Amino acid sequence: MLIRKGTFLLTRQLHLGRPSYTKAASILQGSTWEIDGKVLQKDDRWNLSPAVLRLLERQLLNEPANPLALLKQRLINFFHKEYRKPGNRSPLFTVCDREPRVVTVFDNFDSLLVPKDHVSRRASDTYYVNAENCLRAHTSAHQFSLMKQGLDNFLVIGDVYRRDEINSTHYPCFHQVEGVRLYSPEELFGNAQHRDFELFEDVERTKEKQGKLTEDATKALEISLKSTLEKLCDTFFGQCEKRWVDAYFPFTHPSYELEVFYEGKWLEVLGCGVMEQKLLNDAGITDKAGWAFGIGLERIAMVLYGIPDIRLFWSRDSGFLSQFSGKAPEDTVKYQPISAYPQVTFDVSFFLPPNCEFNDMSADVYDTIRTVGGELIEQVELTDEFTNKKKNTKSQTYRIVYRSNDRVLTKEEVNIVHKEVEKQLIDQFGVKIR
Ligand code: DAH
């Protein structure tokens, strides 16, 4: 479900982190907290746990081998290619992926017209630093200030935080992309026609539209919004069946969700709508109207890459990460489940025989390791290469990750296989083990 019962917020998703207890402990004791260049005074509303402090440190989108980082780049590439400034010189959408993750309560809720008594404001739902500041619960929290700064077309990408129980589909941190596009009348209706159409009027609000925006403006925005998002969806999922579902968000009207029929199931992809004109007016914009959308990245990445559990995004297991590292954002990657049994890692280092080139050697080494180790070899990586000019020697180091699909391997039994790898490298290619 994109919409949670009783709230408008996208379903939250989950994670596994590695502890850094001492840092978290010292943060918990101090009266101030520093994050993303801000120093904040804690007060009695502070409810950040050691676990969420650890999540804040990780920043998955900055890890190039993380599938979420690949998906983020794929989405940016789409917008940069499809939408250019007049003259085609530069991308239309500004990418904002370094916004501070602590925002004001005003930015996270009030600016977006979230009612004062909305459940999402509760201390049981949101991480508060103090009475005025919280961790952003959605990337929408940056709409107001970015518009105020004068941006018309932008994408906000980042990690968002919500307090929740932890289970297979919920976790306190997940990742979102926000898109906003503002139009002047000329941009919306075209230079030639815009005099025949109005953006604004002042009538009763209906189920179909806001009172302040004309039907023409509402329709034109809806067409632009839906065609943009359908195209985006096609780049992710190919030409799939899609459907638009009416929705409710406090900051858009009318509001929609987009669903795609992918691999036999309807999947909710995003929430969006025509931006509430009050939001723009409050940000000082009185001559434009616009649309906005919000996408949760985890859900899409899981479907696209076949990742069965949200916790895997936070895995540091090289069996997971190596399947994505070095991939281009547009590559098709299907995740192969990794074994639940632990890895055993051994290095092999050797001098190459005289007159042997690095490149010639590596292909043979990979083959030999796989031949000897068979199913037990999960990964082989060339980790070091070195030429000693004086002694006229070349050496290489390979890291071999051993893992079984059906049992725990002991160091002793892996050592036997590893010794055989070394023996074969010596016998077949004349290397000298270091
Ligand atoms: N902020 C919403 C959420 O987290 C998602 C969203 C919906 C963003 C509609 C938008 C929008 O910009 O127009 O659930």
Side-chain angles (χ1 to χ4, degrees), residues 2-4 7-11 108 112 137-141 143 160 162 174 176-180 225 247-257 270-275 291-296:
L2 191 73
I3 308 300
R4 287 157 28 97
T7 92
F8 56 88
L9 298 169
L10 287 177
T11 309
N108 199 67
L112 293 159
H138 50 175
T139 44
S140 309
Q143 281 191 12
V160 301
R162 296 181 198 169
F174 65 101
Q176 283 189 329
V177 178
E178 191 80 8
V180 167
L225 170 66
Y248 166 77
F249 303 103
F251 30 91
T252 48
H253 184 66
S255 306
Y256 312 96
E257 285 164 22
L270 54 86
C272 65
V274 174
M275 294 171 80
W291 51 245
F293 68 85
I295 302 184

Side-chain angles (χ1 to χ4, degrees), residues 344-350 365 369 379-384 396-402 411 414-415 418-419 421-422 425 433-434:
V344 180
T345 303
F346 277 95
D347 286 348
V348 55
S349 300
F350 51 77
V365 173
I369 294 171
Q379 299 154 53
V380 185
E381 191 191 353
L382 175 63
T383 51
D384 192 32
Q396 287 182 323
T397 302
Y398 292 82
R399 173 149 301 166
I400 309 177
V401 179
Y402 296 88
K411 279 234 156 64
V414 173
N415 201 28
H418 195 72
K419 284 276 170 268
V421 167
E422 291 183 347
L425 291 174
I433 302 293
R434 292 169 55 193

Side-chain angles (χ1 to χ4, degrees), residues 278-396:
K278 174 161 171 38
L279 214 167
L280 274 68
N281 292 349
D282 290 351
I285 300 161
T286 51
D287 54 353
K288 290 178 182 166
W291 51 245
F293 68 85
I295 302 184
L297 285 181
E298 271 83 351
R299 176 200 305 267
I300 295 177
M302 286 176 82
V303 175
L304 217 52
Y305 302 122
I307 296 170
D309 188 319
I310 299 173
R311 279 171 290 200
L312 279 166
F313 292 112
W314 296 82
S315 167
R316 295 177 193 266
D317 190 309
S318 61
F320 175 75
L321 292 172
S322 66
Q323 296 190 33
F324 298 95
S325 78
K327 297 289 185 218
E330 278 72 28
D331 286 349
T332 305
V333 187
K334 281 290 174 194
Y335 169 68
Q336 303 295 322
I338 50 171
S339 161
Y341 298 100
Q343 300 175 325
V344 180
T345 303
F346 277 95
D347 286 348
V348 55
S349 300
F350 51 77
F351 294 108
L352 275 60
N355 304 324
C356 178
E357 294 307 319
F358 284 136
N359 280 348
D360 297 336
M361 193 71 219
S362 1
D364 288 335
V365 173
Y366 289 130
D367 277 352
T368 305
I369 294 171
R370 296 211 183 273
T371 308
V372 177
E375 289 301 294
L376 298 185
I377 306 295
E378 187 175 84
Q379 299 154 53
V380 185
E381 191 191 353
L382 175 63
T383 51
D384 192 32
E385 219 163 50
F386 180 72
T387 306
N388 185 327
K389 288 245 161 63
K390 269 197 199 134
K391 295 187 180 154
N392 193 25
T393 55
K394 293 197 182 76
S395 61
Q396 287 182 323

